[in-house]
Amino acid sequence: MNIPLPPSDNLYKFIGISGLVLVVTGVIADAIMMDELERTRSVGWSVLDAKSEYAKGRLQQARAYSPILSPDSSSESGKKTAAVADARVQEAKEQLDRVEKTGAELNEMFASIKREKRWSRILSLALYGGTVLMLIGFALWYWMLQRHQDKLIRLQLSKSESKEP
């Protein structure tokens, strides 16, 4: 299998191409990481929404059955049934509160990750460093080599044209 070699016949071109690779890698890595963050956030909110709907449904169900379970709260069994119904309502409220607290924590976590962007320093270094390397490498390649090679080719072309009758 033949692996194509990059055009690195001189140091300047190699520096320019290395800078270009760093810039492209930095842009692609940033896009991938932001996409992954958004995907994780979306999944987290979907799960949280499902839990919230479940907790709200349990709360509504407990409130709806509370009067049905304890129609006569004056008798001893009615008081026990009312206590059980009230416990279910309280449990559903607590579950809903936990879900809302988790949602606030999840939101804060994603905001913190976006603020910090631990990886953004590395990507910034790759982008800025790659840009500098690319500009310096290609500028040196042009000014130190390519200009002279173009001049030599033009001279050879003019000599060959003058020799032909």
Side-chain angles (χ1 to χ4, degrees):
M1 181 169 141
N2 292 335
I3 298 174
L5 297 174
S8 58
D9 53 341
N10 62 57
L11 180 62
Y12 305 127
K13 215 185 277 186
F14 177 76
I15 291 172
I17 291 170
S18 297
L20 181 63
V21 167
L22 278 174
V23 168
V24 170
T25 302
V27 169
I28 290 172
D30 185 50
I32 288 171
M33 289 181 180
M34 288 303 288
D35 184 54
E36 186 65 29
L37 177 65
E38 288 301 319
R39 187 177 302 124
T40 304
R41 179 179 169 181
S42 175
V43 168
W45 279 112
S46 297
V47 168
L48 195 62
D49 285 343
K51 286 183 177 182
S52 175
E53 289 302 315
Y54 174 74
K56 286 177 185 176
R58 282 194 63 197
L59 180 61
Q60 287 175 350
Q61 188 179 30
R63 283 183 178 157
Y65 287 125
S66 178
I68 295 171
L69 291 176
S70 58
D72 180 25
S73 58
S74 60
S75 68
E76 193 62 36
S77 65
K79 288 180 182 178
K80 287 181 183 178
T81 308
V84 168
D86 289 341
R88 286 185 181 172
V89 169
Q90 188 61 32
E91 181 185 326
K93 282 182 182 178
E94 288 171 1
Q95 185 178 12
L96 189 58
D97 288 342
R98 283 192 305 268
V99 168
E100 288 174 356
K101 183 180 175 187
T102 304
E105 290 171 356
L106 186 65
N107 199 20
E108 179 58 34
M109 180 186 74
F110 285 123
S112 171
I113 289 172
K114 273 195 166 180
R115 273 192 311 269
E116 289 179 22
K117 289 186 186 176
R118 295 178 187 120
W119 39 264
S120 87
R121 290 183 189 100
I122 296 169
L123 291 178
S124 295
L125 181 64
L127 288 171
Y128 293 129
T131 302
V132 169
L133 279 176
M134 182 177 60
L135 292 175
I136 289 173
F138 285 136
L140 286 173
W141 168 70
Y142 177 76
W143 288 104
M144 301 295 268
L145 295 172
Q146 191 60 44
R147 222 170 31 129
H148 302 294
Q149 287 178 349
D150 290 345
K151 203 181 281 185
L152 181 65
I153 290 172
R154 272 190 239 114
L155 183 64
Q156 287 174 348
L157 183 63
S158 67
K159 281 184 181 179
S160 71
E161 287 177 351
S162 65
K163 287 184 182 179
E164 290 179 12

